[in-house]
Amino acid sequence: MDLEYVSEDLPKLIMSMKEGTDRISNLSSSLRTFARSDTESKLPFNIHEGINSTLFILKHRLKANQNRPEIQVIKKFGDIPVIDCFPGQLNQVFMNICANAIDALEESNHGLSFATIEEKPNIIIIQTSLNSYSNSVVVRIKDNALGIPKAVQTKIFENSFTTKPVGKGTGLGLSIAHQIIVQKHGGTIEVESTLGEGAEFIITLPINW
């Protein structure tokens, strides 16, 4: 009855359906990468794939909302090799640190207007590099939030330590991250921070351990 309208609307509908199926496909792929089952032995793993899957799952927390602009994620991926590791556990570490960075940025936005935040955008920088001297891969995750006081930095990886209000955190995230990196992978995890400038977590992972 309305061929002209249908001929104009149908391509738009098909395009929307394609975009929806593409998003579902990407999410499914990211979830598979993120939730890889770890076996008794380590598996070869592409660190960049793990980071990208983590960011895709956190995408809903990064996008703009009524209170702030989008949190910008800057990836500076270096030329690093595949490493032998427990992929599922490493992805948990990336998820925890990135989610904490988002929490810190949102806390730093408290009381600021949308326009003020837009002038100094919320940023997370994720950088990877190869340390050929120690035969290891280095992953650095940095935010430009309020930073972490020195007194907190010394305790941040302790079991049950948390700076979050009661009911808003278990105090297990960074403690478990430390165990995964140090005990399970023979690596190191450190934090560097300057108040008012943000915090950076530095993860070093042996390529073969």
Side-chain angles (χ1 to χ4, degrees):
M1 294 294 290
D2 195 347
L3 184 59
E4 183 178 347
Y5 171 77
V6 172
S7 62
E8 181 182 343
D9 189 60
L10 185 59
K12 296 178 183 177
L13 178 61
I14 292 173
M15 183 61 68
S16 294
M17 292 172 64
K18 183 179 183 303
E19 289 175 356
T21 55
D22 286 346
R23 284 198 297 269
I24 292 171
S25 176
N26 289 335
L27 179 58
S28 176
S29 176
S30 295
L31 285 170
R32 281 198 305 270
T33 301
F34 180 83
R36 287 184 58 174
S37 298
D38 291 331
T39 60
E40 294 295 327
S41 57
K42 297 181 180 69
L43 301 171
F45 185 57
N46 185 322
I47 292 289
H48 294 161
E49 288 183 3
I51 293 171
N52 284 331
S53 69
T54 299
L55 293 174
F56 193 87
I57 292 168
L58 287 170
K59 191 173 182 180
H60 69 287
R61 294 199 60 196
L62 296 167
K63 66 183 182 181
N65 58 39
Q66 63 182 4
N67 299 315
R68 60 157 176 79
E70 178 182 12
I71 295 175
Q72 300 177 21
V73 177
I74 299 172
K75 293 185 287 187
K76 299 180 179 181
F77 287 171
D79 185 11
I80 61 173
V82 167
I83 71 168
D84 292 329
C85 65
F86 297 106
Q89 294 183 30
L90 273 191
N91 286 339
Q92 289 178 38
V93 174
F94 299 147
M95 173 68 79
N96 182 268
I97 294 176
C98 288
N100 281 351
I102 295 171
D103 289 343
L105 288 167
E106 292 187 333
E107 182 181 347
S108 72
N109 292 334
H110 186 68
L112 301 179
S113 67
F114 193 102
T116 301
I117 301 168
E118 205 168 27
E119 290 176 3
K120 184 188 175 184
N122 295 160
I123 297 174
I124 296 174
I125 301 173
I126 303 177
Q127 182 175 0
T128 63
S129 60
L130 174 66
N131 186 331
S132 54
Y133 179 77
S134 61
N135 197 33
S136 61
V137 165
V138 181
V139 180
R140 309 174 81 100
I141 303 175
K142 183 178 182 180
D143 64 65
N144 65 336
L146 297 175
I148 304 171
K150 287 286 185 184
V152 174
Q153 291 180 44
T154 60
K155 302 177 181 177
I156 204 164
F157 298 114
E158 292 180 5
N159 190 24
S160 298
F161 178 79
T162 181
T163 59
K164 295 180 180 177
V166 175
K168 290 254 179 156
T170 62
L172 296 176
L174 289 175
S175 171
I176 291 176
H178 186 272
Q179 292 176 26
I180 290 172
I181 297 300
V182 177
Q183 298 177 18
K184 293 285 188 177
H185 292 88
T188 62
I189 178 170
E190 303 169 291
V191 62
E192 295 180 355
S193 180
T194 301
L195 285 179
E197 296 182 12
E200 181 175 41
F201 285 84
I202 304 152
I203 299 167
T204 303
L205 295 161
I207 294 173
N208 300 108
W209 184 67

